Amino acid sequence: MSKQIILGFTTEGTTDFQFLESVIQRSFEDVAFECSGELEILPAQYIDKQSGAFTEVVINYAQQAGKRGFMVLCVHTDADAPHDTGAFDNKIRPAFMAVNHMHGNHVCKNLVAIVPVQMTEAWMLSDKDLLKAEIGTSKSDVELGIHRPPEVYANPKQAIEAAIKIARQDLTRRHRRELTIVELYRPIGQKLVLTRLENLPSYRKFKEAIRDAFRKLNYLQ
């Protein structure tokens, strides 16, 4: 009989949810292959976004996750900076520590942080061929202004929006459908090859956090 993991996740916003749902699920399934024996990752369940101070919100998420029987809870927040140090020092570590100090059985303390450098859209830039296919353009990365490493962009969302505009400016008005970045989150999240994400330090940190979560469950040495 295979072992199972009941997984939950939270995101900062709706579009983050659309992109990260598949990425999270597939990343856990990928790491599961490193475990001895068969391990089934049940479909990741979402906890609706809440407003408030970060630590208090994460405590609430952990309580909900515990009551729903989640074995691991992923918590997403963008770094909103060129490095993730501030996000970990000021948000993730204090919140996770507060959860670990809580008492009671109905609290999920096996937490995994997802902290893209700058913002989630940097991860969408990890596969520019996929991005261009979804936009529907054969223009080069340079022409679209997306030729730099993904985490170098101060505002990767703005870079993608500009690329969409450049890609579609040569189309006739009839064919220039009003494509927006909102339409790209889910398909890119579902199609993105994880090995492309492996090039980003922030994603590798997320994968290592998954391994730590598996170790806490004694599923991985």
Side-chain angles (χ1 to χ4, degrees):
M1 183 175 178
S2 65
K3 295 173 286 189
Q4 294 181 329
I5 285 187
I6 304 173
L7 171 64
F9 70 107
T10 71
T11 61
E12 280 192 342
T14 303
T15 52
D16 298 307
F17 161 76
Q18 293 172 349
F19 175 78
L20 289 173
E21 182 180 27
S22 175
V23 171
I24 291 170
Q25 181 75 30
R26 291 186 291 124
S27 298
F28 272 75
E29 291 170 349
D30 194 39
V31 176
F33 285 112
E34 301 174 19
C35 301
S36 58
E38 192 173 342
L39 182 59
E40 180 184 8
I41 310 298
L42 298 183
Q45 300 178 51
Y46 187 66
I47 295 179
D48 291 334
K49 178 189 174 185
Q50 297 175 21
S51 300
F54 188 80
T55 294
E56 297 305 315
V57 168
V58 172
I59 287 173
N60 198 311
Y61 288 150
Q63 290 172 323
Q64 288 190 51
K67 291 174 183 174
R68 293 168 64 174
F70 295 172
M71 300 162 70
V72 183
L73 175 64
C74 296
V75 178
H76 159 253
T77 185
D78 286 338
D80 292 324
H83 306 285
D84 60 14
T85 307
F88 274 95
D89 288 349
N90 302 320
K91 298 173 76 174
I92 293 295
R93 289 194 185 94
F96 284 18
M97 190 176 298
V99 170
N100 278 322
H101 286 160
M102 293 176 68
H103 299 290
N105 296 324
H106 299 300
V107 179
C108 178
K109 297 185 178 181
N110 201 357
L111 306 178
V112 170
I114 310 172
V115 187
V117 164
Q118 295 295 3
M119 55 187 73
T120 297
E121 287 79 2
W123 287 15
M124 295 172 69
L125 283 168
S126 65
D127 188 342
K128 291 163 184 170
D129 292 333
L130 173 60
L131 174 63
K132 289 190 288 186
E134 292 298 322
I135 294 175
T137 182
S138 58
K139 290 182 182 292
S140 70
D141 294 354
V142 173
E143 289 175 303
L144 295 170
I146 55 172
H147 53 288
R148 297 188 292 161
E151 294 184 336
V152 167
Y153 291 91
N155 191 330
K157 179 178 181 180
Q158 197 172 68
I160 294 173
E161 289 174 331
I164 293 172
K165 187 175 181 181
I166 294 168
R168 306 187 77 76
Q169 65 187 4
D170 295 335
L171 299 178
T172 61
R173 180 173 296 180
R174 180 181 176 187
H175 293 92
R176 196 185 303 157
R177 187 175 64 84
E178 294 300 325
L179 177 71
T180 68
I181 189 173
V182 174
E183 298 171 65
L184 302 180
Y185 288 93
R186 189 180 298 280
I188 291 180
Q190 292 174 339
K191 297 175 184 177
L192 186 59
V193 177
L194 296 182
T195 50
R196 295 297 186 101
L197 277 172
E198 297 276 4
N199 294 322
L200 305 183
S202 60
Y203 177 75
R204 292 199 297 272
K205 193 172 290 187
F206 168 55
K207 285 284 289 287
E208 194 53 42
I210 296 174
R211 294 185 180 97
D212 288 340
F214 282 11
R215 291 185 185 103
K216 291 176 183 173
L217 296 168
N218 294 319
Y219 290 168
L220 183 67
Q221 296 298 315

